[in-house]
Amino acid sequence: EAGVAQSPRYKIIEKRQSVAFWCNPISGHATLYWYQQILGQGPKLLIQFQNNGVVDDSQLPKDRFSAERLKGVDSTLKIQPAKLEDSAVYLCASSPRTSGGTYEQYFGPGTRLTVT
Amino acid sequence: LAKTTQPISMDSYEGQEVNITCSHNNIATNDYITWYQQFPSQGPRFIIQGYKTKVTNEVASLFIPADRKSSTLSLPRVSLSDTAVYYCLVGNSMDTGRRALTFGSGTRLQVQP
């Protein structure tokens, strides 16, 4: 079974530039998540999709971040314009629909963003 | 939000058993406890999940007391490759967003030869 794919793996941009990250979840997984992980901290949820609908984006800085999941499969996360504090690893994860309260997330390798 | 508290770091030696405890005093009745492992430059990886008592799989055991206000991840006979950050999460798949998916700072386990 193929895992969660992300690209690019690394990206260096200057502040005020734009950047986009792509995620392909595991086939059949209904739920997709984007996390931001700053060095030395745990992942912070930015947005959660259920199929192609947004379930939670309360921690997404909507003035500069946007995300979409077209057709309920692939997803893109965009930052426009980037700030120095956006330097982090951006992780994508997916999980299957489960019952009974249990869940397991499968994470991709992440995209390391450096804003200079 | 179900907040979790873990030790910041732990040290061990190869071959020893390591127990990492997580406190979650305000765990809800329908919450499950899930542990993830993260190596440098990789995304977190699911280790184990449980609701009460004891759960064991091929890599770890999870001990949950009756009051469920804490849990202990037990790694038997650790090796150098177990050096990683370990995260404890509490939540339920019926919850969404921050309610279910709040990672703390994790526990950095360093295994020495």
Short mmCIF file of all heavy atoms in Angstrom, two decimals, chain A residues 9-10 33 35 37 39-45 48 55-56 58-59 91 98-110 112, chain B residues 30 32 34 36 38 41-46 49 87 89-106 108:
data_model
loop_
_atom_site.label_atom_id
_atom_site.label_comp_id
_atom_site.label_asym_id
_atom_site.label_seq_id
_atom_site.Cartn_x
_atom_site.Cartn_y
_atom_site.Cartn_z
N ARG A 9 9.84 18.19 -1.21
CA ARG A 9 10.35 17.83 0.11
C ARG A 9 11.00 19.01 0.80
O ARG A 9 10.98 19.12 2.02
CB ARG A 9 11.36 16.69 -0.01
CG ARG A 9 10.77 15.34 -0.39
CD ARG A 9 9.81 14.82 0.70
NE ARG A 9 10.35 14.90 2.04
CZ ARG A 9 11.14 13.99 2.57
NH1 ARG A 9 11.51 12.93 1.87
NH2 ARG A 9 11.57 14.12 3.82
N TYR A 10 11.58 19.89 0.02
CA TYR A 10 12.24 21.06 0.56
C TYR A 10 11.91 22.27 -0.32
O TYR A 10 11.76 22.14 -1.54
CB TYR A 10 13.76 20.88 0.60
CG TYR A 10 14.21 19.65 1.34
CD1 TYR A 10 14.40 18.45 0.68
CD2 TYR A 10 14.41 19.69 2.73
CE1 TYR A 10 14.79 17.31 1.37
CE2 TYR A 10 14.81 18.55 3.42
CZ TYR A 10 14.99 17.37 2.73
OH TYR A 10 15.37 16.25 3.41
N TYR A 33 -5.48 15.82 6.55
CA TYR A 33 -5.07 16.83 7.51
C TYR A 33 -3.80 17.52 7.01
O TYR A 33 -2.93 16.87 6.43
CB TYR A 33 -4.75 16.23 8.87
CG TYR A 33 -5.70 15.17 9.38
CD1 TYR A 33 -5.61 13.85 8.93
CD2 TYR A 33 -6.65 15.45 10.35
CE1 TYR A 33 -6.46 12.87 9.41
CE2 TYR A 33 -7.49 14.47 10.85
CZ TYR A 33 -7.38 13.18 10.37
OH TYR A 33 -8.22 12.21 10.86
N TYR A 35 -0.74 19.77 8.82
CA TYR A 35 -0.14 20.21 10.07
C TYR A 35 1.06 21.10 9.78
O TYR A 35 1.74 20.94 8.77
CB TYR A 35 0.37 19.03 10.89
CG TYR A 35 -0.67 18.14 11.52
CD1 TYR A 35 -1.25 17.09 10.79
CD2 TYR A 35 -1.06 18.32 12.84
CE1 TYR A 35 -2.18 16.25 11.38
CE2 TYR A 35 -2.00 17.49 13.43
CZ TYR A 35 -2.55 16.46 12.70
OH TYR A 35 -3.47 15.64 13.29
N GLN A 37 4.65 21.98 11.68
CA GLN A 37 5.52 21.60 12.79
C GLN A 37 6.75 22.49 12.80
O GLN A 37 7.62 22.38 11.94
CB GLN A 37 5.92 20.12 12.70
CG GLN A 37 6.71 19.67 13.93
CD GLN A 37 6.93 18.18 13.98
OE1 GLN A 37 6.95 17.48 12.97
NE2 GLN A 37 7.09 17.65 15.19
N LEU A 39 10.25 23.67 14.48
CA LEU A 39 11.35 22.92 15.08
C LEU A 39 11.24 22.87 16.60
O LEU A 39 11.08 23.90 17.25
CB LEU A 39 12.68 23.56 14.67
CG LEU A 39 13.95 22.82 15.08
CD1 LEU A 39 14.02 21.46 14.38
CD2 LEU A 39 15.19 23.65 14.80
N GLY A 40 11.28 21.65 17.13
CA GLY A 40 11.23 21.46 18.57
C GLY A 40 9.84 21.39 19.16
O GLY A 40 9.69 21.21 20.38
N GLN A 41 8.82 21.51 18.31
CA GLN A 41 7.44 21.46 18.79
C GLN A 41 6.70 20.29 18.16
O GLN A 41 7.14 19.72 17.15
CB GLN A 41 6.72 22.77 18.46
CG GLN A 41 7.34 24.01 19.08
CD GLN A 41 6.57 25.27 18.73
OE1 GLN A 41 5.42 25.22 18.30
NE2 GLN A 41 7.21 26.42 18.94
N GLY A 42 5.56 19.97 18.74
CA GLY A 42 4.70 18.96 18.14
C GLY A 42 3.94 19.53 16.96
O GLY A 42 3.83 20.74 16.81
N PRO A 43 3.41 18.66 16.12
CA PRO A 43 2.62 19.15 14.98
C PRO A 43 1.39 19.91 15.45
O PRO A 43 0.74 19.53 16.42
CB PRO A 43 2.23 17.85 14.26
CG PRO A 43 3.22 16.84 14.71
CD PRO A 43 3.55 17.20 16.11
N LYS A 44 1.06 20.95 14.72
CA LYS A 44 -0.12 21.77 15.01
C LYS A 44 -1.08 21.66 13.83
O LYS A 44 -0.70 21.93 12.69
CB LYS A 44 0.28 23.22 15.22
CG LYS A 44 -0.87 24.21 15.29
CD LYS A 44 -0.34 25.63 15.32
CE LYS A 44 -1.42 26.66 15.12
NZ LYS A 44 -0.87 28.03 15.04
N LEU A 45 -2.29 21.26 14.11
CA LEU A 45 -3.27 21.08 13.05
C LEU A 45 -3.64 22.42 12.43
O LEU A 45 -4.00 23.36 13.14
CB LEU A 45 -4.53 20.40 13.59
CG LEU A 45 -5.65 20.18 12.58
CD1 LEU A 45 -5.24 19.10 11.57
CD2 LEU A 45 -6.94 19.79 13.27
N GLN A 48 -8.48 20.38 8.56
CA GLN A 48 -8.92 19.00 8.41
C GLN A 48 -10.04 18.96 7.38
O GLN A 48 -11.00 19.73 7.46
CB GLN A 48 -9.43 18.43 9.74
CG GLN A 48 -9.95 17.01 9.66
CD GLN A 48 -10.50 16.51 10.98
OE1 GLN A 48 -10.39 17.18 12.00
NE2 GLN A 48 -11.09 15.33 10.98
N VAL A 55 -13.65 20.43 7.63
CA VAL A 55 -14.23 20.08 8.93
C VAL A 55 -13.79 21.09 9.99
O VAL A 55 -14.58 21.51 10.82
CB VAL A 55 -13.82 18.66 9.33
CG1 VAL A 55 -14.27 18.37 10.76
CG2 VAL A 55 -14.39 17.65 8.37
N ASP A 56 -12.51 21.45 9.94
CA ASP A 56 -11.97 22.38 10.93
C ASP A 56 -10.81 23.13 10.32
O ASP A 56 -9.88 22.51 9.82
CB ASP A 56 -11.52 21.63 12.18
CG ASP A 56 -11.11 22.57 13.31
OD1 ASP A 56 -10.09 23.27 13.15
OD2 ASP A 56 -11.79 22.61 14.35
N SER A 58 -9.85 26.15 12.15
CA SER A 58 -9.79 27.21 13.16
C SER A 58 -8.38 27.71 13.44
O SER A 58 -8.20 28.82 13.93
CB SER A 58 -10.42 26.71 14.47
OG SER A 58 -9.78 25.54 14.93
N GLN A 59 -7.37 26.91 13.14
CA GLN A 59 -6.00 27.34 13.39
C GLN A 59 -5.26 27.69 12.10
O GLN A 59 -4.04 27.84 12.12
CB GLN A 59 -5.24 26.24 14.17
CG GLN A 59 -5.87 25.94 15.52
CD GLN A 59 -5.00 25.06 16.39
OE1 GLN A 59 -4.34 25.55 17.31
NE2 GLN A 59 -4.98 23.77 16.11
N LEU A 91 3.25 19.02 7.29
CA LEU A 91 2.94 17.59 7.22
C LEU A 91 1.52 17.39 6.74
O LEU A 91 0.60 18.09 7.17
CB LEU A 91 3.07 16.95 8.61
CG LEU A 91 4.47 16.92 9.23
CD1 LEU A 91 4.37 16.70 10.73
CD2 LEU A 91 5.30 15.82 8.59
N THR A 98 -13.55 5.54 10.25
CA THR A 98 -13.61 4.46 11.23
C THR A 98 -14.89 4.57 12.03
O THR A 98 -15.60 5.57 11.98
CB THR A 98 -12.41 4.52 12.19
OG1 THR A 98 -12.46 5.76 12.91
CG2 THR A 98 -11.10 4.42 11.44
N SER A 99 -15.14 3.54 12.78
CA SER A 99 -16.30 3.56 13.67
C SER A 99 -15.84 3.25 15.08
O SER A 99 -14.75 2.71 15.29
CB SER A 99 -17.33 2.54 13.21
OG SER A 99 -16.78 1.24 13.26
N GLY A 100 -16.62 3.61 16.03
CA GLY A 100 -16.31 3.24 17.41
C GLY A 100 -15.37 4.18 18.11
O GLY A 100 -15.03 3.95 19.27
N GLY A 101 -14.92 5.21 17.44
CA GLY A 101 -14.11 6.20 18.14
C GLY A 101 -12.62 6.10 17.91
O GLY A 101 -11.87 6.99 18.29
N THR A 102 -12.17 5.03 17.30
CA THR A 102 -10.73 4.90 17.09
C THR A 102 -10.34 5.54 15.77
O THR A 102 -11.14 5.67 14.86
CB THR A 102 -10.30 3.43 17.05
OG1 THR A 102 -10.91 2.79 15.92
CG2 THR A 102 -10.72 2.72 18.32
N TYR A 103 -9.12 5.95 15.67
CA TYR A 103 -8.62 6.52 14.43
C TYR A 103 -7.12 6.39 14.40
O TYR A 103 -6.47 6.34 15.43
CB TYR A 103 -9.03 7.99 14.26
CG TYR A 103 -8.51 8.90 15.35
CD1 TYR A 103 -7.33 9.60 15.19
CD2 TYR A 103 -9.20 9.05 16.53
CE1 TYR A 103 -6.85 10.41 16.19
CE2 TYR A 103 -8.73 9.85 17.54
CZ TYR A 103 -7.56 10.54 17.37
OH TYR A 103 -7.09 11.35 18.37
N GLU A 104 -6.58 6.32 13.23
CA GLU A 104 -5.14 6.24 13.04
C GLU A 104 -4.78 7.10 11.86
O GLU A 104 -5.34 6.96 10.77
CB GLU A 104 -4.72 4.79 12.78
CG GLU A 104 -3.25 4.60 12.51
CD GLU A 104 -2.88 3.14 12.31
OE1 GLU A 104 -3.67 2.27 12.72
OE2 GLU A 104 -1.82 2.87 11.73
N GLN A 105 -3.86 8.02 12.09
CA GLN A 105 -3.42 8.90 11.03
C GLN A 105 -2.14 8.37 10.41
O GLN A 105 -1.26 7.88 11.12
CB GLN A 105 -3.16 10.30 11.58
CG GLN A 105 -4.38 11.00 12.13
CD GLN A 105 -4.01 12.33 12.72
OE1 GLN A 105 -3.71 13.28 12.00
NE2 GLN A 105 -3.99 12.41 14.02
N TYR A 106 -2.05 8.50 9.10
CA TYR A 106 -0.86 8.12 8.35
C TYR A 106 -0.24 9.41 7.81
O TYR A 106 -0.90 10.14 7.06
CB TYR A 106 -1.20 7.17 7.20
CG TYR A 106 -1.79 5.86 7.67
CD1 TYR A 106 -3.14 5.76 8.02
CD2 TYR A 106 -1.01 4.72 7.76
CE1 TYR A 106 -3.68 4.57 8.44
CE2 TYR A 106 -1.55 3.51 8.18
CZ TYR A 106 -2.89 3.44 8.52
OH TYR A 106 -3.42 2.26 8.95
N PHE A 107 0.99 9.65 8.18
CA PHE A 107 1.64 10.91 7.82
C PHE A 107 2.57 10.74 6.62
O PHE A 107 3.20 9.70 6.44
CB PHE A 107 2.47 11.43 8.99
CG PHE A 107 1.66 12.06 10.08
CD1 PHE A 107 1.04 11.28 11.04
CD2 PHE A 107 1.52 13.44 10.15
CE1 PHE A 107 0.28 11.86 12.05
CE2 PHE A 107 0.77 14.03 11.16
CZ PHE A 107 0.15 13.24 12.11
N GLY A 108 2.65 11.79 5.84
CA GLY A 108 3.64 11.87 4.79
C GLY A 108 4.98 12.32 5.35
O GLY A 108 5.10 12.62 6.54
N PRO A 109 6.00 12.42 4.50
CA PRO A 109 7.34 12.79 4.95
C PRO A 109 7.49 14.27 5.28
O PRO A 109 8.43 14.67 5.95
CB PRO A 109 8.23 12.40 3.78
CG PRO A 109 7.34 12.52 2.59
CD PRO A 109 5.98 12.10 3.07
N GLY A 110 6.54 15.08 4.81
CA GLY A 110 6.59 16.51 5.10
C GLY A 110 7.35 17.31 4.05
O GLY A 110 8.15 16.78 3.28
N ARG A 112 9.78 20.65 4.09
CA ARG A 112 10.50 21.60 4.95
C ARG A 112 10.58 22.94 4.24
O ARG A 112 11.21 23.05 3.19
CB ARG A 112 11.90 21.09 5.27
CG ARG A 112 12.69 22.02 6.20
CD ARG A 112 14.03 21.44 6.57
NE ARG A 112 13.88 20.20 7.31
CZ ARG A 112 13.65 20.12 8.61
NH1 ARG A 112 13.54 21.23 9.33
NH2 ARG A 112 13.54 18.93 9.20
N ASN B 30 -15.51 9.18 26.03
CA ASN B 30 -15.40 8.50 24.75
C ASN B 30 -14.04 8.69 24.08
O ASN B 30 -13.87 8.35 22.91
CB ASN B 30 -16.51 8.95 23.80
CG ASN B 30 -16.43 10.44 23.52
OD1 ASN B 30 -15.69 11.17 24.16
ND2 ASN B 30 -17.18 10.89 22.53
N TYR B 32 -10.14 8.01 23.16
CA TYR B 32 -9.13 6.97 23.09
C TYR B 32 -7.76 7.62 23.30
O TYR B 32 -7.59 8.82 23.13
CB TYR B 32 -9.17 6.28 21.72
CG TYR B 32 -10.28 5.28 21.60
CD1 TYR B 32 -11.60 5.69 21.40
CD2 TYR B 32 -10.03 3.91 21.70
CE1 TYR B 32 -12.62 4.77 21.30
CE2 TYR B 32 -11.04 2.99 21.60
CZ TYR B 32 -12.34 3.42 21.40
OH TYR B 32 -13.35 2.51 21.32
N THR B 34 -3.85 7.55 22.11
CA THR B 34 -3.04 7.12 20.97
C THR B 34 -1.62 7.64 21.13
O THR B 34 -1.41 8.78 21.55
CB THR B 34 -3.64 7.68 19.66
OG1 THR B 34 -5.03 7.40 19.60
CG2 THR B 34 -2.94 7.07 18.45
N TYR B 36 2.14 8.17 19.15
CA TYR B 36 2.86 8.25 17.89
C TYR B 36 4.35 8.36 18.16
O TYR B 36 4.78 8.88 19.19
CB TYR B 36 2.41 9.47 17.07
CG TYR B 36 1.06 9.33 16.43
CD1 TYR B 36 -0.10 9.61 17.13
CD2 TYR B 36 0.94 8.92 15.10
CE1 TYR B 36 -1.34 9.48 16.55
CE2 TYR B 36 -0.30 8.79 14.50
CZ TYR B 36 -1.43 9.07 15.24
OH TYR B 36 -2.66 8.93 14.64
N GLN B 38 8.02 9.73 16.28
CA GLN B 38 8.52 10.54 15.19
C GLN B 38 10.04 10.56 15.18
O GLN B 38 10.67 10.96 16.17
CB GLN B 38 7.99 11.98 15.26
CG GLN B 38 8.38 12.81 14.04
CD GLN B 38 7.76 14.19 14.04
OE1 GLN B 38 7.45 14.76 15.08
NE2 GLN B 38 7.55 14.74 12.85
N SER B 41 13.16 14.27 10.53
CA SER B 41 12.89 14.41 9.09
C SER B 41 11.82 13.43 8.58
O SER B 41 11.77 13.13 7.38
CB SER B 41 14.18 14.21 8.28
OG SER B 41 15.14 15.17 8.66
N GLN B 42 11.00 12.92 9.49
CA GLN B 42 9.89 12.07 9.08
C GLN B 42 8.61 12.53 9.76
O GLN B 42 8.64 13.22 10.78
CB GLN B 42 10.15 10.61 9.45
CG GLN B 42 11.32 9.97 8.71
CD GLN B 42 11.46 8.49 9.04
OE1 GLN B 42 10.48 7.84 9.41
NE2 GLN B 42 12.66 7.97 8.90
N GLY B 43 7.46 12.12 9.19
CA GLY B 43 6.21 12.38 9.85
C GLY B 43 5.99 11.40 10.99
O GLY B 43 6.61 10.34 11.03
N PRO B 44 5.12 11.74 11.94
CA PRO B 44 4.82 10.82 13.04
C PRO B 44 4.27 9.50 12.52
O PRO B 44 3.64 9.45 11.46
CB PRO B 44 3.77 11.57 13.85
CG PRO B 44 4.00 13.02 13.54
CD PRO B 44 4.43 13.03 12.10
N ARG B 45 4.51 8.44 13.29
CA ARG B 45 4.04 7.11 12.92
C ARG B 45 3.25 6.53 14.07
O ARG B 45 3.68 6.57 15.23
CB ARG B 45 5.23 6.20 12.60
CG ARG B 45 4.88 4.80 12.17
CD ARG B 45 6.14 4.03 11.79
NE ARG B 45 6.95 3.68 12.95
CZ ARG B 45 7.01 2.48 13.51
NH1 ARG B 45 6.24 1.51 13.03
NH2 ARG B 45 7.80 2.24 14.52
N PHE B 46 2.08 6.01 13.78
CA PHE B 46 1.20 5.40 14.79
C PHE B 46 1.92 4.23 15.45
O PHE B 46 2.53 3.39 14.79
CB PHE B 46 -0.08 4.92 14.11
CG PHE B 46 -1.01 4.14 14.99
CD1 PHE B 46 -1.99 4.78 15.72
CD2 PHE B 46 -0.91 2.75 15.07
CE1 PHE B 46 -2.87 4.06 16.52
CE2 PHE B 46 -1.78 2.02 15.87
CZ PHE B 46 -2.77 2.68 16.59
N GLN B 49 -2.82 2.24 20.28
CA GLN B 49 -4.00 2.96 20.74
C GLN B 49 -4.78 2.08 21.70
O GLN B 49 -4.83 0.85 21.52
CB GLN B 49 -4.87 3.33 19.54
CG GLN B 49 -6.09 4.17 19.86
CD GLN B 49 -6.83 4.57 18.59
OE1 GLN B 49 -7.53 3.78 17.99
NE2 GLN B 49 -6.63 5.81 18.18
N TYR B 87 4.76 10.96 21.11
CA TYR B 87 3.64 11.84 21.40
C TYR B 87 2.44 11.04 21.90
O TYR B 87 2.12 9.98 21.35
CB TYR B 87 3.20 12.59 20.15
CG TYR B 87 4.21 13.56 19.59
CD1 TYR B 87 5.02 13.20 18.53
CD2 TYR B 87 4.32 14.84 20.11
CE1 TYR B 87 5.94 14.09 18.00
CE2 TYR B 87 5.23 15.75 19.59
CZ TYR B 87 6.04 15.35 18.54
OH TYR B 87 6.95 16.24 18.03
N LEU B 89 -1.66 11.36 22.46
CA LEU B 89 -2.85 12.13 22.10
C LEU B 89 -4.07 11.47 22.71
O LEU B 89 -4.13 10.24 22.83
CB LEU B 89 -3.06 12.15 20.58
CG LEU B 89 -2.31 13.16 19.75
CD1 LEU B 89 -0.86 12.75 19.62
CD2 LEU B 89 -2.94 13.28 18.38
N VAL B 90 -5.05 12.29 23.08
CA VAL B 90 -6.33 11.74 23.49
C VAL B 90 -7.41 12.35 22.62
O VAL B 90 -7.36 13.53 22.28
CB VAL B 90 -6.63 12.00 24.99
CG1 VAL B 90 -5.66 11.22 25.85
CG2 VAL B 90 -6.59 13.47 25.31
N GLY B 91 -8.38 11.55 22.24
CA GLY B 91 -9.45 12.04 21.39
C GLY B 91 -10.30 10.91 20.87
O GLY B 91 -10.07 9.73 21.17
N ASN B 92 -11.25 11.29 20.05
CA ASN B 92 -12.21 10.34 19.50
C ASN B 92 -12.44 10.71 18.04
O ASN B 92 -12.53 11.88 17.71
CB ASN B 92 -13.52 10.44 20.29
CG ASN B 92 -14.54 9.41 19.86
OD1 ASN B 92 -15.10 9.50 18.78
ND2 ASN B 92 -14.77 8.43 20.69
N SER B 93 -12.56 9.71 17.21
CA SER B 93 -12.70 9.99 15.78
C SER B 93 -14.00 10.71 15.45
O SER B 93 -14.16 11.26 14.37
CB SER B 93 -12.62 8.69 14.98
OG SER B 93 -13.71 7.86 15.29
N MET B 94 -14.93 10.68 16.40
CA MET B 94 -16.18 11.39 16.15
C MET B 94 -16.02 12.88 16.41
O MET B 94 -16.85 13.68 16.01
CB MET B 94 -17.28 10.83 17.06
CG MET B 94 -17.52 9.34 16.86
SD MET B 94 -17.87 8.89 15.16
CE MET B 94 -19.45 9.67 14.94
N ASP B 95 -14.93 13.26 17.09
CA ASP B 95 -14.61 14.67 17.26
C ASP B 95 -13.83 15.15 16.06
O ASP B 95 -13.34 14.37 15.26
CB ASP B 95 -13.78 14.88 18.53
CG ASP B 95 -14.55 14.50 19.77
OD1 ASP B 95 -15.76 14.78 19.82
OD2 ASP B 95 -13.95 13.92 20.68
N THR B 96 -13.70 16.43 15.96
CA THR B 96 -13.02 16.96 14.78
C THR B 96 -11.99 17.99 15.19
O THR B 96 -12.03 18.54 16.28
CB THR B 96 -14.01 17.64 13.82
OG1 THR B 96 -14.67 18.70 14.52
CG2 THR B 96 -15.04 16.66 13.32
N GLY B 97 -11.07 18.20 14.29
CA GLY B 97 -10.12 19.29 14.43
C GLY B 97 -9.34 19.27 15.72
O GLY B 97 -8.85 18.23 16.16
N ARG B 98 -9.26 20.42 16.35
CA ARG B 98 -8.42 20.59 17.52
C ARG B 98 -8.84 19.66 18.65
O ARG B 98 -8.01 19.24 19.44
CB ARG B 98 -8.49 22.03 17.99
CG ARG B 98 -7.95 23.04 17.01
CD ARG B 98 -8.13 24.43 17.55
NE ARG B 98 -7.39 24.61 18.79
CZ ARG B 98 -7.64 25.57 19.66
NH1 ARG B 98 -8.65 26.40 19.45
NH2 ARG B 98 -6.93 25.68 20.76
N ARG B 99 -10.14 19.35 18.72
CA ARG B 99 -10.60 18.53 19.84
C ARG B 99 -9.91 17.17 19.84
O ARG B 99 -9.60 16.62 20.86
CB ARG B 99 -12.13 18.34 19.74
CG ARG B 99 -12.71 17.40 20.76
CD ARG B 99 -12.59 17.96 22.17
NE ARG B 99 -13.15 17.08 23.16
CZ ARG B 99 -12.46 16.11 23.76
NH1 ARG B 99 -11.19 15.93 23.45
NH2 ARG B 99 -13.02 15.34 24.65
N ALA B 100 -9.67 16.64 18.67
CA ALA B 100 -9.13 15.29 18.57
C ALA B 100 -7.66 15.24 18.24
O ALA B 100 -7.03 14.21 18.41
CB ALA B 100 -9.90 14.50 17.52
N LEU B 101 -7.09 16.32 17.77
CA LEU B 101 -5.80 16.22 17.11
C LEU B 101 -4.79 17.22 17.66
O LEU B 101 -4.13 17.91 16.90
CB LEU B 101 -6.00 16.41 15.61
CG LEU B 101 -6.96 15.41 14.98
CD1 LEU B 101 -7.43 15.89 13.63
CD2 LEU B 101 -6.30 14.05 14.89
N THR B 102 -4.69 17.30 18.96
CA THR B 102 -3.73 18.21 19.57
C THR B 102 -2.51 17.43 20.04
O THR B 102 -2.60 16.64 20.98
CB THR B 102 -4.37 18.96 20.74
OG1 THR B 102 -5.46 19.75 20.26
CG2 THR B 102 -3.35 19.87 21.40
N PHE B 103 -1.40 17.66 19.38
CA PHE B 103 -0.14 17.07 19.79
C PHE B 103 0.50 18.00 20.82
O PHE B 103 0.50 19.21 20.66
CB PHE B 103 0.83 16.96 18.61
CG PHE B 103 0.53 15.84 17.65
CD1 PHE B 103 -0.47 15.96 16.71
CD2 PHE B 103 1.28 14.67 17.68
CE1 PHE B 103 -0.74 14.93 15.82
CE2 PHE B 103 1.02 13.65 16.79
CZ PHE B 103 0.02 13.77 15.86
N GLY B 104 1.08 17.45 21.86
CA GLY B 104 1.88 18.23 22.79
C GLY B 104 3.30 18.33 22.26
O GLY B 104 3.54 18.16 21.07
N SER B 105 4.23 18.59 23.14
CA SER B 105 5.63 18.71 22.73
C SER B 105 6.33 17.36 22.67
O SER B 105 7.43 17.26 22.16
CB SER B 105 6.38 19.64 23.68
OG SER B 105 5.86 20.95 23.60
N GLY B 106 5.69 16.34 23.21
CA GLY B 106 6.27 15.01 23.11
C GLY B 106 7.39 14.74 24.09
O GLY B 106 7.85 15.63 24.82
N ARG B 108 11.24 13.27 24.22
CA ARG B 108 12.42 12.87 23.43
C ARG B 108 13.15 11.75 24.13
O ARG B 108 13.69 11.95 25.22
CB ARG B 108 13.35 14.08 23.25
CG ARG B 108 12.72 15.19 22.46
CD ARG B 108 13.66 16.35 22.23
NE ARG B 108 12.99 17.37 21.42
CZ ARG B 108 12.92 17.35 20.10
NH1 ARG B 108 13.50 16.37 19.44
NH2 ARG B 108 12.29 18.29 19.44
#
